[in-house]
Short mmCIF file of all heavy atoms in Angstrom, two decimals:
data_model
loop_
_atom_site.label_atom_id
_atom_site.label_comp_id
_atom_site.label_asym_id
_atom_site.label_seq_id
_atom_site.Cartn_x
_atom_site.Cartn_y
_atom_site.Cartn_z
N GLU V 76 42.72 43.60 13.79
CA GLU V 76 41.48 42.78 13.84
C GLU V 76 40.85 42.76 15.20
O GLU V 76 41.53 42.79 16.25
CB GLU V 76 41.92 41.36 13.46
CG GLU V 76 40.85 40.35 13.28
CD GLU V 76 41.34 39.02 12.78
OE1 GLU V 76 42.16 38.40 13.48
OE2 GLU V 76 41.00 38.70 11.67
N ILE V 77 39.52 42.69 15.19
CA ILE V 77 38.76 42.55 16.43
C ILE V 77 38.22 41.14 16.49
O ILE V 77 37.67 40.66 15.48
CB ILE V 77 37.64 43.62 16.45
CG1 ILE V 77 38.22 45.01 16.38
CG2 ILE V 77 36.77 43.39 17.72
CD1 ILE V 77 37.21 46.09 16.15
N VAL V 78 38.39 40.52 17.63
CA VAL V 78 37.88 39.18 17.85
C VAL V 78 36.82 39.27 18.98
O VAL V 78 37.11 39.67 20.08
CB VAL V 78 38.97 38.16 18.20
CG1 VAL V 78 38.38 36.79 18.45
CG2 VAL V 78 40.04 38.16 17.12
N ALA V 79 35.57 38.88 18.61
CA ALA V 79 34.47 38.92 19.55
C ALA V 79 34.22 37.52 20.12
O ALA V 79 34.39 36.53 19.41
CB ALA V 79 33.22 39.45 18.89
N TYR V 80 33.83 37.47 21.41
CA TYR V 80 33.38 36.23 21.96
C TYR V 80 32.20 36.46 22.85
O TYR V 80 31.94 37.58 23.28
CB TYR V 80 34.49 35.48 22.69
CG TYR V 80 34.88 36.00 24.03
CD1 TYR V 80 34.25 35.57 25.18
CD2 TYR V 80 35.79 37.05 24.18
CE1 TYR V 80 34.53 36.08 26.43
CE2 TYR V 80 36.11 37.54 25.40
CZ TYR V 80 35.53 37.09 26.53
OH TYR V 80 35.85 37.60 27.75
N CYS V 81 31.48 35.39 23.17
CA CYS V 81 30.34 35.51 24.04
C CYS V 81 30.22 34.28 24.98
O CYS V 81 31.27 33.75 25.36
CB CYS V 81 29.03 35.68 23.23
SG CYS V 81 28.72 34.51 21.94
N ARG V 82 29.04 33.79 25.22
CA ARG V 82 28.81 32.77 26.24
C ARG V 82 29.42 31.39 25.86
O ARG V 82 30.00 30.75 26.69
CB ARG V 82 27.32 32.65 26.46
CG ARG V 82 26.74 33.86 27.10
CD ARG V 82 25.26 33.74 27.33
NE ARG V 82 24.78 34.95 27.94
CZ ARG V 82 23.85 35.72 27.43
NH1 ARG V 82 23.26 35.43 26.31
NH2 ARG V 82 23.47 36.82 28.05
N GLY V 83 29.11 31.01 24.66
CA GLY V 83 29.54 29.67 24.22
C GLY V 83 29.38 29.45 22.77
O GLY V 83 28.93 30.31 22.03
N ALA V 84 29.72 28.29 22.31
CA ALA V 84 29.71 27.99 20.89
C ALA V 84 28.35 28.13 20.27
O ALA V 84 28.23 28.40 19.10
CB ALA V 84 30.24 26.55 20.65
N ASN V 85 27.28 27.92 21.01
CA ASN V 85 25.94 28.00 20.46
C ASN V 85 25.25 29.34 20.66
O ASN V 85 24.13 29.51 20.32
CB ASN V 85 25.05 26.88 21.06
CG ASN V 85 25.53 25.54 20.60
OD1 ASN V 85 25.99 25.37 19.47
ND2 ASN V 85 25.44 24.55 21.45
N SER V 86 25.95 30.33 21.18
CA SER V 86 25.41 31.66 21.38
C SER V 86 25.60 32.48 20.13
O SER V 86 26.62 32.29 19.41
CB SER V 86 26.12 32.32 22.58
OG SER V 86 25.64 33.64 22.74
N VAL V 87 24.69 33.35 19.81
CA VAL V 87 24.80 34.15 18.57
C VAL V 87 25.31 35.58 18.78
O VAL V 87 25.49 36.27 17.82
CB VAL V 87 23.38 34.21 17.87
CG1 VAL V 87 22.98 32.83 17.45
CG2 VAL V 87 22.40 34.93 18.72
N LEU V 88 25.62 35.94 19.99
CA LEU V 88 26.10 37.33 20.25
C LEU V 88 27.33 37.66 19.46
O LEU V 88 27.41 38.72 18.89
CB LEU V 88 26.31 37.53 21.75
CG LEU V 88 25.08 37.43 22.69
CD1 LEU V 88 25.53 37.51 24.11
CD2 LEU V 88 24.02 38.41 22.34
N ALA V 89 28.31 36.78 19.47
CA ALA V 89 29.58 37.04 18.77
C ALA V 89 29.31 37.10 17.27
O ALA V 89 29.95 37.93 16.57
CB ALA V 89 30.64 36.02 19.12
N HIS V 90 28.47 36.24 16.77
CA HIS V 90 28.14 36.29 15.33
C HIS V 90 27.56 37.66 14.97
O HIS V 90 27.98 38.28 13.99
CB HIS V 90 27.10 35.23 14.94
CG HIS V 90 27.60 33.85 15.01
ND1 HIS V 90 28.27 33.21 14.01
CD2 HIS V 90 27.61 32.93 16.02
CE1 HIS V 90 28.57 32.02 14.33
NE2 HIS V 90 28.20 31.77 15.55
N ASP V 91 26.60 38.10 15.76
CA ASP V 91 25.97 39.44 15.53
C ASP V 91 27.03 40.54 15.61
O ASP V 91 26.96 41.50 14.82
CB ASP V 91 24.84 39.68 16.47
CG ASP V 91 23.65 38.77 16.27
OD1 ASP V 91 23.57 38.09 15.18
OD2 ASP V 91 22.80 38.67 17.15
N ALA V 92 27.97 40.46 16.55
CA ALA V 92 28.96 41.51 16.70
C ALA V 92 29.84 41.53 15.44
O ALA V 92 30.15 42.61 14.93
CB ALA V 92 29.80 41.20 17.94
N VAL V 93 30.26 40.37 14.99
CA VAL V 93 31.13 40.28 13.79
C VAL V 93 30.41 40.86 12.59
O VAL V 93 30.99 41.62 11.78
CB VAL V 93 31.67 38.89 13.54
CG1 VAL V 93 32.35 38.70 12.18
CG2 VAL V 93 32.60 38.45 14.63
N ARG V 94 29.15 40.53 12.40
CA ARG V 94 28.40 41.08 11.27
C ARG V 94 28.35 42.61 11.38
O ARG V 94 28.55 43.32 10.38
CB ARG V 94 26.99 40.50 11.30
CG ARG V 94 26.90 39.08 10.86
CD ARG V 94 25.44 38.65 10.73
NE ARG V 94 25.37 37.17 10.76
CZ ARG V 94 24.97 36.48 11.85
NH1 ARG V 94 24.60 37.06 12.97
NH2 ARG V 94 24.97 35.21 11.79
#
Side-chain angles (χ1 to χ4, degrees):
E76 185 173 65
I77 298 168
V78 180
Y80 76 91
C81 55
R82 295 176 179 123
N85 293 326
S86 178
V87 298
L88 298 175
H90 290 273
D91 291 346
V93 169
R94 287 186 200 103

